[in-house]
Amino acid sequence: MGVTDPAGPVMDRDEVDRALARLGQEHEAIETSLLALQDHAGRRLLEGAELTGVTKERWTSVEASITLLWAYFDAYTGALRSAREIRSRRRWSSREDLVELTELLRGECVTVPDSPSLPGGPGRLSERYSLAALVDRMNELYATSLDMVVAADAVWSALPARIDLLAAELQRTRRLAHSVGVRPGEHPAGDDLERITRTLTRLRAEVVSDPLAHWVPAKGSSAPGGGRPDTTVYDREARALEDVRREIDAVLTVRQDAEKRLVRLRDVLSRADRTLAEARTARGEVLAKIAATEVPVVSGPPTVLQEQLATAAEYRRQAQWHRLSPLLETLEQKAEDELLRARESLTAVTAPLAVRAELRGRLDAYKAKVARHGLAEDPLLIERYDAARRMLWSAPCDLRVAEQAVLRYQQAAAELLGGGRIPGPRTPEDGAGGRDMRGRGET
């Protein structure tokens, strides 16, 4: 190997001393890094684990890289030792010593074994490097090896412990679910618990044997170990378990409040029944007292609600809280709807009586008003008041005719009081030509 071609000009003593000092510092740094990698917890775990999948493939390659790193380091150490021995022969190195040192420090004078198992390896038994190129090669292998070791260790440090904590919470939730009757095949939450259990068991086994399958490298980062553990599956199951816990809490709440809710349900349905009974009684009264009016039919109470209420009570006796919970929610809404329907039915049935009461009140109010003005003895008012009163206090009462009679009395009272004509329906008694009522009464 020529001195001036690969190695360049012959180095002087100062250049040699500076190069040896720099190489010595690099040697210490490389040795420290290799020892740290050797003692790394992730590397020790990888050596003892039964690996599968992508982690097994990567570790096979990295393990060969680490072995090769130590071989490279030994060769580097030997070349540095040889250079130091040549420099220490004499205080002032001779020309021959400087030529030899230049070739050793700058030339491709280090022969190292190659590994055909490494990706991209040329497949030769040995390679020759300069010390600088050998350092670059060691840095490359070190970074690749450390990246894999740190990634595996990060996943092992983060996920198994979290999975174990979640699994412990899962077991507590399963015991609580069983105590309130939430079991697989009987309640959806019980099926969810079984699925979460299977998923967590499978996830932990995968994380332990193939941690790199659960590693997300950082985009655009070349630093060893850049990335994060993939917690997608874990987070999904944690959310699912939280949903199940909330559902079981709801079932527990049902167990605590079941009797109160059942009592309230019975009360609401009882009020609805009483209201419907009142509506049926009122309908008979309306039909007897009011004529020419469409009165809606009042239906009876729905028996299905009573049957469901009995079923709910049976669920409570048998402590089937998971079945009682949704049934109570449905029944509470239906009971409120039934009470509202009963009240609306009563209102619709009694509407004619309310109209009659309003007409009676209006008639008496106008009578009191004309009395205050000293017109109570007016013959026309007396006549029209008596006519309206007979219609409103007779049975059956024709509301349409009675309303017209009240309007006629109001109009006559308004004219006497000087308030003008009150708009109202025209009747055959009014005639044509717009003559006022008082004139017709007098005639």
Side-chain angles (χ1 to χ4, degrees):
M1 175 184 301
V3 174
T4 60
D5 186 14
V10 176
M11 303 169 67
D12 59 28
R13 286 187 298 272
D14 290 339
E15 290 177 323
V16 168
D17 290 342
R18 286 196 297 271
L20 286 173
R22 176 178 54 78
L23 291 171
Q25 292 174 350
E26 289 181 346
H27 180 272
E28 290 180 5
I30 293 170
E31 183 178 30
T32 301
S33 297
L34 288 177
L35 289 174
L37 178 61
Q38 193 70 17
D39 292 335
H40 197 288
R43 190 201 64 80
R44 293 198 300 270
L45 289 172
L46 285 165
E47 280 189 339
E50 295 183 5
L51 303 176
T52 60
V54 64
T55 306
K56 182 177 182 179
E57 296 176 6
R58 286 279 303 278
W59 176 240
T60 299
S61 176
V62 166
E63 200 170 24
S65 295
I66 294 174
T67 301
L68 194 59
L69 266 171
W70 282 106
Y72 284 178
F73 180 72
D74 290 341
Y76 181 85
T77 302
L80 181 59
R81 184 186 306 111
S82 298
R84 284 172 172 170
E85 290 175 355
I86 295 172
R87 178 64 184 87
S88 64
R89 288 175 185 171
R90 51 184 67 86
R91 180 180 177 86
W92 304 101
S93 299
S94 64
R95 171 73 179 177
E96 291 76 13
D97 290 344
L98 292 176
V99 170
E100 188 175 358
L101 284 169
T102 299
E103 184 175 0
L104 185 58
L105 296 176
R106 289 183 174 174
E108 295 182 351
C109 60
V110 184
T111 301
V112 295
D114 190 39
S115 175
S117 64
L118 290 177
R124 297 189 297 267
L125 295 179
S126 63
E127 287 186 284
R128 294 180 63 84
Y129 289 96
S130 66
L131 289 177
L134 186 58
V135 169
D136 291 340
R137 179 63 174 149
M138 282 192 290
N139 284 333
E140 177 186 345
L141 291 176
Y142 175 78
T144 302
S145 302
L146 182 63
D147 180 74
M148 188 266 176
V149 170
V150 170
D153 186 56
V155 173
W156 280 332
S157 299
L159 279 178
R162 294 173 67 181
I163 293 171
D164 289 344
L165 288 174
L166 189 61
E169 179 63 25
L170 174 63
Q171 291 305 315
R172 288 192 292 271
T173 304
R174 291 184 67 178
R175 288 193 294 269
L176 184 61
H178 192 272
S179 70
V180 295
V182 176
R183 298 180 178 87
E186 298 181 6
H187 192 280
D191 297 334
D192 289 340
L193 288 174
E194 287 298 302
R195 182 193 58 76
I196 295 170
T197 301
R198 292 192 300 269
T199 301
L200 287 183
T201 302
R202 183 176 65 252
L203 178 62
R204 195 185 192 288
E206 291 175 356
V207 167
V208 170
S209 66
D210 191 8
L212 294 188
H214 298 273
W215 177 254
V216 181
K219 294 182 179 179
S221 174
S222 59
R228 60 175 179 81
D230 183 2
T231 61
T232 303
V233 176
Y234 170 87
D235 293 339
R236 183 190 68 211
E237 299 308 316
R239 288 192 298 270
L241 181 58
E242 181 62 28
D243 291 341
V244 171
R245 276 201 298 263
R246 281 197 294 269
E247 187 159 352
I248 293 174
D249 287 342
V251 174
L252 286 171
T253 302
V254 170
R255 182 171 69 177
Q256 296 167 357
D257 301 338
E259 183 57 31
K260 292 181 180 178
R261 293 173 70 179
L262 285 170
V263 169
R264 282 198 302 268
L265 271 171
R266 293 188 185 99
D267 178 63
V268 171
L269 290 177
S270 177
R271 281 187 288 156
D273 289 348
R274 290 196 302 270
T275 303
L276 287 176
E278 184 180 352
R280 285 191 293 272
T281 301
R283 185 173 188 273
E285 180 182 351
V286 169
L287 291 174
K289 295 180 177 181
I290 306 297
T293 299
E294 293 296 331
V295 183
V297 176
V298 180
S299 62
T303 58
V304 64
L305 291 184
Q306 294 297 335
E307 293 172 356
Q308 290 177 345
L309 184 60
T311 301
E314 185 64 23
Y315 284 162
R316 181 183 177 277
R317 283 192 294 271
Q318 295 178 0
Q320 296 185 13
W321 312 112
H322 62 291
R323 293 181 177 175
L324 179 59
S325 176
L327 181 56
L328 280 179
E329 292 179 4
T330 301
L331 268 175
E332 285 167 343
Q333 184 59 51
K334 288 182 177 179
E336 291 295 335
D337 292 343
E338 178 61 18
L339 179 58
L340 178 61
R341 183 184 72 85
R343 288 170 174 170
E344 290 175 345
S345 181
L346 177 61
T347 300
V349 165
T350 57
L353 294 178
V355 172
R356 187 184 66 173
E358 190 274 333
L359 290 174
R360 286 177 174 180
R362 196 194 314 172
L363 181 65
D364 289 341
Y366 264 86
K367 181 183 179 183
K369 184 175 182 180
V370 297
R372 287 196 303 271
H373 287 79
L375 300 174
E377 301 303 323
D378 182 87
L380 179 61
L381 291 180
I382 293 174
E383 175 190 348
R384 293 192 176 179
Y385 175 81
D386 290 341
R389 193 178 189 286
R390 281 194 303 273
M391 294 178 187
L392 288 172
W393 268 266
S394 63
C397 172
D398 190 326
L399 288 179
R400 285 184 290 271
V401 175
E403 183 178 15
Q404 291 173 355
V406 172
L407 282 173
R408 284 197 297 272
Y409 177 73
Q410 287 181 250
Q411 289 167 346
E415 289 181 0
L416 284 176
L417 295 172
R421 182 182 178 88
I422 298 177
R426 292 177 61 85
T427 66
E429 183 183 348
D430 293 336
R435 288 163 45 187
D436 64 80
M437 292 184 177
R438 185 178 180 188
R440 290 195 304 275
E442 291 175 344
T443 59

